[in-house]
Amino acid sequence: MTKRYSFEFFPPKTDVGREKLQTVRAELNKLGPEFFSVTYGAGGSTRDNTVGIVKAMKAEGLSVAPHLSFGGDDEGSMLELINGYKDAGIDRIVALRGDLPSGMGATRLVYAKELVEFIRKHTGDHFHLEVAAYPEIHPDAKSYQADIDFLKAKLDAGANSAITQYFYSIDAWHYFMDHCQKAGIDKPIYPGIMPITNFANLARFSRNCGAELPRWMTQKFESYGDDIESSREFGIEVVTRLSEQLLEAGAPGLHFYTMNTVDPTRQIWQNLKL
Ligand code: FAD
């Protein structure tokens, strides 16, 4: 079966960032991904920005999927947003629960499964729906098995496939896939690949999202100190190797968290000879 590759962006906040992203997506589009996706800020904080970028990309003829969560929206405004995407010719959505933005303690989080049900109820089979999966298990999960069961529930509710949080342990992937199989999950799960551009930032971010950075990798990055070039090369090597192992192990494709830059995603892509 042909493998599927996709690239993720976040919506830039400034005009300079938006201009830069135009160049980035034009370059990455040359690699021929199946689609791009654009994230949605916690609590809907990037609502207009995400909608703007998604529609601009669609108008350029790119295949693009907005990420979506209920955030602060009620059902009426959520429906408006979804119908707006449908009318713009968007046919894929990454459906999420999202997280609470700081300072918005009272907002109720709506589970991704409920969003999948909502989209299916109002738009039938129009959208291909992606949901999130966690090979190292979501930080709020009651247990390993509970997280797998909730993943199955949102796929059974009508999602077509899942994209994972990034991870650097191939064992975590194998163990997770075994458990998904035992739970009867038969829809494709695409590993999320996070190229490493700034290890210190990645370490800070990983603490919050429950992704583990292996000790050997941390030690090696720390040993480079200010030697940015060696650190960059090591990052490319590690992520290329992981991607190779995932594809060899039968992963149906890869989803790259590009962080709105062309390299190192392109470098890893070229190393993999995709
Ligand atoms: P859910 O699937 O709803 O699960 C959330 C937690 O609740 C899990 O621990 C699960 O085990 C548990 N759970 C699920 N259902 C139930 C239930 N019925 N009862 C009790 N517990 C339950 N965040 C953003 O803000 N914007 C983005 O654009 C974004 N994009 C992402 C893209 C990908 C590919 C991934 C992997 C994550 C993304 N995230 C994004 C992060 C995501 O929003 C957070 O990880 C969030 O905390 C969980 O979202 P979810 O959709 O996985 O939640």
Side-chain angles (χ1 to χ4, degrees):
M1 207 174 69
T2 338
K3 306 258 188 198
R4 185 190 94 176
Y5 301 98
S6 48
F7 296 142
E8 180 173 312
F9 297 138
F10 59 85
K13 291 193 184 109
T14 62
D15 287 343
V16 175
R18 276 185 281 273
E19 253 171 62
K20 188 187 151 221
L21 186 59
Q22 230 166 345
T23 316
V24 169
R25 63 190 184 240
E27 282 304 307
L28 288 179
N29 194 41
K30 290 181 192 163
L31 305 180
E34 182 145 333
F35 68 95
F36 293 92
S37 80
V38 182
T39 63
Y40 196 59
S45 55
T46 65
R47 193 181 212 274
D48 294 345
N49 244 344
T50 299
V51 172
I53 300 280
V54 165
K55 291 191 177 168
M57 289 174 69
K58 180 68 195 168
E60 287 164 18
L62 300 176
S63 176
V64 55
H67 293 210
L68 191 61
S69 60
F70 255 97
D73 281 303
D74 60 21
E75 293 198 350
S77 51
M78 176 53 81
L79 195 51
E80 219 174 282
L81 191 51
I82 294 167
N83 281 332
Y85 281 138
K86 191 176 167 200
D87 294 344
I90 306 294
D91 57 8
R92 186 189 298 268
I93 287 178
V94 183
L96 303 150
R97 180 196 75 171
D99 289 312
L100 287 179
S102 46
M104 261 180 86
T107 307
R108 184 178 85 90
L109 285 172
V110 177
Y111 289 121
K113 173 175 175 265
E114 293 173 49
L115 178 57
V116 168
E117 286 166 347
F118 183 83
I119 298 173
R120 285 284 175 249
K121 179 177 160 200
H122 292 282
T123 59
D125 286 337
H126 175 79
F127 291 101
H128 179 109
L129 296 179
E130 308 279 346
V131 287
Y134 301 84
E136 292 176 339
I137 300 306
H138 186 267
D140 300 347
K142 278 188 230 127
S143 68
Y144 192 99
Q145 192 55 44
D147 209 33
I148 304 264
D149 294 342
F150 288 131
L151 171 62
K152 179 164 186 339
K154 58 188 175 179
L155 287 165
D156 287 349
N160 301 86
S161 43
I163 299 172
T164 77
Q165 182 58 280
Y166 65 88
F167 56 93
Y168 296 99
S169 158
I170 189 75
D171 287 339
W173 167 261
H174 285 304
Y175 197 71
F176 179 70
M177 292 308 290
D178 282 351
H179 279 73
C180 286
Q181 204 184 358
K182 280 184 196 134
I185 294 175
D186 56 4
K187 292 181 177 170
I189 300 179
Y190 297 89
I193 301 297
M194 178 70 93
I196 305 169
T197 41
N198 181 325
F199 187 72
N201 281 352
L202 180 69
R204 206 169 320 117
F205 184 67
S206 301
R207 276 194 284 278
N208 297 328
C209 68
E212 195 159 279
L213 301 180
R215 187 175 147 80
W216 63 269
M217 217 174 94
T218 305
Q219 293 285 347
K220 187 86 175 162
F221 272 112
E222 285 176 356
S223 74
Y224 291 123
D226 293 334
D227 181 355
I228 293 169
E229 192 43 37
S230 301
S231 179
R232 199 192 70 84
E233 276 175 24
F234 177 63
I236 300 267
E237 180 195 318
V238 165
V239 178
T240 299
R241 178 85 192 108
L242 174 69
S243 305
E244 259 166 14
Q245 288 175 322
L246 287 164
L247 292 172
E248 279 164 20
L254 302 171
H255 177 81
F256 288 89
Y257 295 104
T258 71
M259 302 309 284
N260 292 10
T261 54
V262 176
D263 288 317
T265 297
R266 183 168 56 190
Q267 184 65 59
I268 295 164
W269 181 281
Q270 286 167 349
N271 291 350
L272 293 170
K273 301 188 174 51
L274 297 179

